[in-house]
Amino acid sequence: MDSAIPERTTKGTSLSTSSTSLPGGTWTLGDLTVTRFGYGAMQLAGPWVMGPPADRDGALAVLREAVDLGITHIDTSDAYGPRITNELIREALHPYPGSLRIVTKVGANRDAQGGWPTARRPEDLRKQVHENLQALGVEVLDLVNMRSGNAEGPQSGSLAESFATLVELQQEGLIRHLGVSNVTTEQVAEAQTIAPIVCVQNMYNLAHRHDDELIDRLAIEGVAYVPFFPLGGFSPLQSSALSAVAGRLGATSMSVALAWLLQRSPNILLIPGTSKVAHLRENVAGAGLSLTSEDLAELDGISD
């Protein structure tokens, strides 16, 4: 199948992809090497991830700055906007640098109220894959995550039929690698019986560590784990404790949380999002914060 997948070309682009200064180094997703510090494009859309950004030029500048900083992993979805973030990525970065990898996800649509209704029938998934291809302006998607569950989180049940549809699209040469998102440990195992996956994307952070065992297992297997909401769902007490640690280190809470994730396990990839160039630079610098064993021990007490 690989012979049917065209390689990216760098012809016509002046964007840099040097990653020597990024914290965390790199990770390999199948045959694709990416920086462990990536960028999540979700916040580039308007309020509630609907409609265009208030500052379109600013959104384009953030994407270009991400690549100039050496980031080679951008996370997106055609449901963001919908379609908005993919169109911004294409406008800002196409033709894409050869080392840049764009990861998208399917399994949900958007309704007029800004909801995320599930859309995981075979015909839905095929439509979404083709929409991502068109919006991004590529012949093959680097990595597609199958989003399970709903807005409340993972839901039990089989994902076999949905995931098998993505496997078919992969066999047709439209997808290079597969992953799963918003899933239970059992669903990860089920997907792995159907086809290889290269990443799992779930909610996980310093306070909510329900996937600790899964992360450790995936690390042994060489599968990436991509946490979203690195500061999501903290209780006031947990937030205060994190702020106290950050204050002692002369850093922000976000910096400590991102640095902790990078030091938690080598297979963790970060995709913090922002719509501001200055904030993107702060996130990169913050993720490089060095935490001592004493810091880590204190932070472990924050988990629920």
Side-chain angles (χ1 to χ4, degrees):
M1 182 187 129
D2 286 345
S3 61
I5 297 175
E7 291 295 325
R8 290 253 183 89
T9 174
T10 57
K11 183 178 179 181
T13 182
S14 60
L15 295 168
S16 167
T17 55
S18 171
S19 60
T20 55
S21 62
L22 289 172
T26 60
W27 180 266
T28 301
L29 297 165
D31 62 345
L32 307 177
T33 299
V34 298
T35 50
R36 288 182 64 208
F37 189 98
Y39 172 74
M42 186 177 187
Q43 293 186 30
L44 293 183
W48 308 105
V49 201
M50 291 289 286
D55 181 4
R56 186 178 185 86
D57 289 341
L60 297 173
V62 169
L63 288 163
R64 292 169 180 145
E65 179 68 11
V67 172
D68 285 341
L69 288 170
I71 291 171
T72 62
H73 173 199
I74 292 180
D75 182 85
T76 185
S77 172
D78 216 42
Y80 297 163
R83 205 174 179 88
I84 295 297
T85 63
N86 280 352
E87 291 177 346
L88 290 169
I89 289 169
R90 181 174 184 173
E91 181 177 347
L93 304 177
H94 195 278
Y96 303 113
S99 61
L100 181 64
R101 303 304 170 189
I102 300 174
V103 178
T104 190
K105 65 181 67 65
V106 294
N109 283 327
R110 306 302 303 280
D111 59 29
Q113 292 72 42
W116 301 79
T118 60
R120 292 193 286 268
R121 297 176 302 172
E123 58 267 32
D124 295 328
L125 297 173
R126 284 186 168 274
K127 181 174 183 288
Q128 291 168 59
V129 165
H130 282 282
E131 287 173 343
N132 274 278
L133 288 165
Q134 181 183 34
L136 290 169
V138 295
E139 296 178 22
V140 58
L141 299 170
D142 288 325
L143 196 166
V144 175
N145 282 311
M146 174 67 237
R147 183 185 185 274
S148 189
N150 57 30
E152 302 301 318
Q155 304 292 315
S156 61
S158 175
L159 49 66
E161 181 183 21
S162 300
F163 192 68
T165 299
L166 293 192
V167 174
E168 292 174 2
L169 289 162
Q170 183 185 44
Q171 293 169 344
E172 293 169 17
L174 300 180
I175 301 171
R176 188 184 294 272
H177 294 296
L178 300 174
V180 289
S181 176
N182 203 35
V183 288
T184 65
T185 298
E186 292 75 21
Q187 288 167 337
V188 173
E190 181 185 30
Q192 290 178 307
T193 67
I194 301 170
I197 62 172
V198 299
C199 74
V200 173
Q201 188 178 110
N202 274 357
M203 178 179 174
Y204 177 86
N205 58 40
L206 184 57
H208 298 279
R209 300 179 56 174
H210 50 281
D211 273 354
D212 270 340
E213 291 185 6
L214 176 61
I215 290 171
D216 294 340
R217 175 171 72 79
L218 294 175
I220 294 171
E221 297 173 355
V223 177
Y225 185 95
V226 187
F228 54 80
F229 296 138
L231 276 180
F234 275 48
S235 70
L237 183 61
Q238 290 168 331
S239 294
S240 296
L242 177 60
S243 296
V245 174
R248 189 181 70 245
L249 297 174
T252 65
S253 294
M254 175 63 87
S255 295
V256 173
L258 293 177
W260 180 85
L261 284 168
L262 275 184
Q263 293 180 226
R264 163 65 180 81
S265 182
N267 66 324
I268 287 182
L269 311 184
L270 302 184
I271 51 168
T274 179
S275 60
K276 304 294 184 182
V277 168
H279 189 204
L280 172 63
R281 293 171 180 163
E282 290 171 5
N283 284 344
V284 171
L289 182 68
S290 180
L291 302 175
T292 66
S293 57
E294 289 78 12
D295 295 329
L296 295 172
E298 185 172 351
L299 291 170
D300 278 345
I302 294 177
S303 62
D304 53 13

